[in-house]
Amino acid sequence: MHVGAVRAEPSSPEPLVERARKGCRDAFADLYGQYVDLIYRYVHARVGAHPLAEDLTSETFARALRRIGDFTWQGRDFGAWLVTIARNLVADHYKSGRYRWELVTDEPPETPLDGPENAVLDALANQTLFQAVRRLGPDQRLCVSLRFLQGMSVAETAEAMGKNAGAVKALQHRAVRTLARTLPHDPRAS
């Protein structure tokens, strides 16, 4: 996998998709080059482990290659189609139960724990935040995930969601307002 490579500004994917649908492997390779970083970041934000993220990213493109003939534009961007495949693979991974046996050790915690009290407060805050995010609508939930968990730009998020930048900004604004209203006060801020 060529994750982290410098890529050229993405051009419109339509001609490449059409060529790939007709069996052109070079066109699919170009699509891979345009979207691999986006898909890797999406998967890594959900699984947290570099090797697993690479595996699921590779499987995303393998499935896309097998199903490229089934892809239809229906108002969706090609990147959004790839994100859907990746999202399903991540969900399948967690449903399989296999993930419970994996221990992620390649990334140390960003900050050391100050003590058991902070660890409990952090766990409760994270649980509360994730519950609040789960209650958002699917578009708002995906927007928040792409923008804040994966650090994507508005343009990258719009591309992944098959929406324009204005729609992504509106989704983000509404989601953040909803979260601000529903989340309780953080006791550590006192």
Side-chain angles (χ1 to χ4, degrees):
M1 181 174 308
H2 203 266
V3 174
V6 175
R7 62 181 179 168
E9 282 299 311
S11 59
S12 173
E14 285 101 358
L16 289 174
V17 170
E18 291 311 312
R19 287 181 35 227
R21 289 185 64 197
K22 293 176 183 170
C24 179
R25 297 292 172 140
D26 290 337
F28 191 84
D30 289 344
L31 289 167
Y32 174 88
Q34 282 187 16
Y35 291 98
V36 67
D37 290 337
L38 171 77
I39 299 303
Y40 174 81
R41 286 193 316 262
Y42 177 87
V43 172
H44 189 268
R46 279 151 183 76
V47 300
H50 176 70
L52 179 58
E54 282 186 333
D55 290 348
L56 292 175
T57 300
S58 293
E59 181 59 24
T60 297
F61 283 95
R63 284 192 184 181
L65 180 60
R66 286 191 302 269
R67 298 179 185 162
I68 190 74
D70 298 334
F71 177 77
T72 56
W73 288 101
Q74 298 179 350
R76 293 184 63 198
D77 180 64
F78 185 73
W81 184 64
L82 292 171
V83 168
T84 300
I85 294 171
R87 180 176 47 230
N88 291 338
L89 284 169
V90 169
D92 290 348
H93 168 73
Y94 283 117
K95 285 179 195 172
S96 75
R98 184 175 148 229
Y99 80 96
R100 285 180 266 236
W101 297 103
E102 296 173 0
L103 176 62
V104 177
T105 59
D106 64 338
E107 297 175 12
E110 291 182 16
T111 57
L113 295 176
D114 295 328
E117 298 86 6
N118 281 339
V120 168
L121 288 174
D122 286 344
L124 288 173
N126 287 339
Q127 180 181 12
T128 303
L129 176 61
F130 286 126
Q131 286 172 350
V133 169
R134 277 191 220 113
R135 287 191 297 266
L136 293 172
D139 281 349
Q140 286 182 355
R141 189 171 47 244
L142 180 58
C143 180
V144 165
S145 173
L146 295 173
R147 289 284 292 131
F148 301 117
L149 295 179
Q150 296 181 30
M152 289 184 181
S153 69
V154 170
E156 289 172 324
T157 302
E159 182 179 335
M161 293 183 72
K163 297 188 179 296
N164 65 41
V168 167
K169 288 178 185 178
L171 279 170
Q172 177 182 322
H173 178 72
R174 286 193 303 268
V176 169
R177 276 190 21 214
T178 300
L179 290 172
R181 280 192 315 268
T182 59
L183 288 172
H185 173 72
D186 186 349
R188 292 170 293 183
S190 302

